[in-house]
Amino acid sequence: MSALFEPFTLRDLTIPNRVWMPPMCQYSAAPEGPDVGAPHDWHFAHYGARAAGGTGLIIVEATGVSPEGRISPYDLGIWSDTQVEAFRRITRFLVAQGTVPGIQLAHAGRKASTDQPWKGGAPLGPDALGWQPLGPSPVSFDERHAVPTELTVTQIKEIVRQFADAARRALAAGFEVAEIHGAHGYLIANFLSPHSNRRTDEYGGSYANRTRFALEVVDAVREVWPDDKPLFFRISATDWLDEGGWTPDDTVRLASDLQAHGIDLLDVSTGGNAAGVHIPTGPGYQVPFAARVKAETSLPVAAVGMITEPEQAEKILVNGEADAVLLGRELLRSPSWARQAARELGGDVRVPEQYHRSV
């Protein structure tokens, strides 16, 4: 039996295989009007195709817990019941294909209010569907981005509540896995790293203070997320800075703290919080960070980052570097990657009856 196609159980949920789709923003939701932030036909077709292709778990893209928590005006949101109804169409179809539906709950922090990437991704002002970004400190991501408004403690508590409310709606929408976005330079990552967090109150300075917001969000979400359903956390394991940033040592330490607060799996990525850094990319370049967390803690991990070939993915699991693999761009290119990999590795994957002639 291929390790890639062994089921994986977390709490009471069994995911049929270890081929997972990470959150990848489509920047295709309505930016205003009655359907603002809600998924529509593009999202249904996009996620549905990967489910029909045999993907075991699909984590829907970064979904804003509030309007100002979106990366762009064109991102998904889950701050209203209208959005819940639209998500149900997608989760029902994924479940019908044997795929576990997950969702990433997110707040973009100081990198919010930008245009669609294919239009250049420039920051947008209030006169162009944009808004004023928020952050732990008035420190911009780079010279293009606006200086964020420093959050008050009262506002921080409100955002914690927004994460919990979003989790309740995600449950009502039919999602079986929730992931908290703590990576890529968005709000939780802004708090974690001393590069972006210059506060002097209980949310800044020491490791304990900088991780306080993340753990408060986890506690609030875990309180409303059912005990029988797993909760993930996505982390950037390093800022890729020589000094003054979040480090792999910090990630290992936080992994144990997250597990103690009810996180069931760490989704390990890197970067995104510091502009202009050199990231030595290449096949599987982020896997060692996941492998270290797995080796030094008891928290399950998923690996991501230029994982493209079935044998490469299989080796990561066989070598004990991760418990699952997340394929991003490769699943954009090949929606049926899981079925193709199963043929190569001798694995078993569900095939829709309509596609049996392709087996």
Side-chain angles (χ1 to χ4, degrees), residues 9 19-20 51 86 91-92 98 114-115 148 153 160 169 187 197 200 211 236 266 297 309-310 322 335 341 353:
T9 298
V19 181
W20 298 356
T91 60
R92 280 195 301 264
T114 59
D115 205 349
V153 171
V160 171
R169 292 190 176 97
L187 187 61
N197 185 346
T200 58
T211 60
S236 281
L266 194 66
T297 76
E309 302 299 326
E353 293 177 351

Side-chain angles (χ1 to χ4, degrees), residues 105-192:
L105 306 177
H107 193 297
R110 67 178 184 164
K111 290 171 72 176
S113 189
T114 59
D115 205 349
Q116 293 159 312
W118 50 87
K119 294 180 180 177
L124 298 175
D127 58 341
L129 299 173
W131 57 91
Q132 172 61 26
L134 305 170
S137 303
V139 180
S140 64
F141 174 66
D142 61 18
E143 65 279 358
R144 290 203 315 166
H145 284 73
V147 174
T149 297
E150 180 172 310
L151 288 161
T152 66
V153 171
T154 298
Q155 289 174 313
I156 291 170
K157 301 297 185 184
E158 172 62 15
I159 293 173
V160 171
R161 184 193 63 77
Q162 289 171 347
F163 270 95
D165 289 345
R168 290 191 190 95
R169 292 190 176 97
L171 182 64
F175 289 102
E176 298 179 26
V177 171
E179 176 173 275
I180 296 168
H181 198 351
H184 300 158
Y186 300 122
L187 187 61
I188 292 176
N190 297 161
F191 273 89
L192 293 177

Side-chain angles (χ1 to χ4, degrees), residues 2-5 18-20 287 303 306-327 337 341 345:
S2 163
L4 197 59
F5 293 95
R18 317 294 180 100
V19 181
W20 298 356
V287 174
M306 295 183 71
I307 300 170
T308 60
E309 302 299 326
E311 288 187 2
Q312 176 196 17
E314 180 82 359
K315 185 178 179 181
I316 291 168
L317 301 181
V318 170
N319 288 349
E321 296 174 286
D323 298 284
V325 294
L326 293 152
L327 292 93
W337 189 94
L345 301 173

Side-chain angles (χ1 to χ4, degrees), residues 164-310:
D165 289 345
R168 290 191 190 95
R169 292 190 176 97
L171 182 64
F175 289 102
E176 298 179 26
V177 171
E179 176 173 275
I180 296 168
H181 198 351
H184 300 158
Y186 300 122
L187 187 61
I188 292 176
N190 297 161
F191 273 89
L192 293 177
S193 175
H195 177 73
S196 46
N197 185 346
R198 313 290 173 81
R199 299 177 74 96
T200 58
D201 63 2
E202 65 267 39
Y203 288 97
S206 68
Y207 166 89
N209 285 353
R210 286 183 286 107
T211 60
R212 189 183 308 278
F213 175 58
L215 296 177
E216 287 181 351
V217 169
V218 170
D219 288 344
V221 172
R222 187 75 264 182
E223 185 175 350
V224 302
W225 195 246
D227 288 340
D228 61 346
K229 296 185 185 299
L231 181 61
F232 293 4
F233 189 97
R234 187 162 228 197
I235 188 77
S236 281
T238 175
D239 284 342
W240 294 103
L241 291 168
D242 292 334
E243 58 183 23
W246 183 259
T247 71
D249 289 342
D250 293 328
T251 295
V252 171
R253 183 177 178 183
L254 182 62
S256 294
D257 293 340
L258 290 169
Q259 187 173 27
H261 285 255
I263 290 295
D264 300 292
L265 180 138
L266 194 66
D267 174 356
V268 185
S269 186
T270 65
N273 194 49
V277 297
H278 172 67
I279 300 177
T281 60
Y285 72 103
Q286 296 179 133
V287 174
F289 298 97
R292 182 177 170 192
V293 174
K294 185 166 175 60
E296 297 183 26
T297 76
S298 58
L299 183 63
V301 299
V304 67
M306 295 183 71
I307 300 170
T308 60
E309 302 299 326

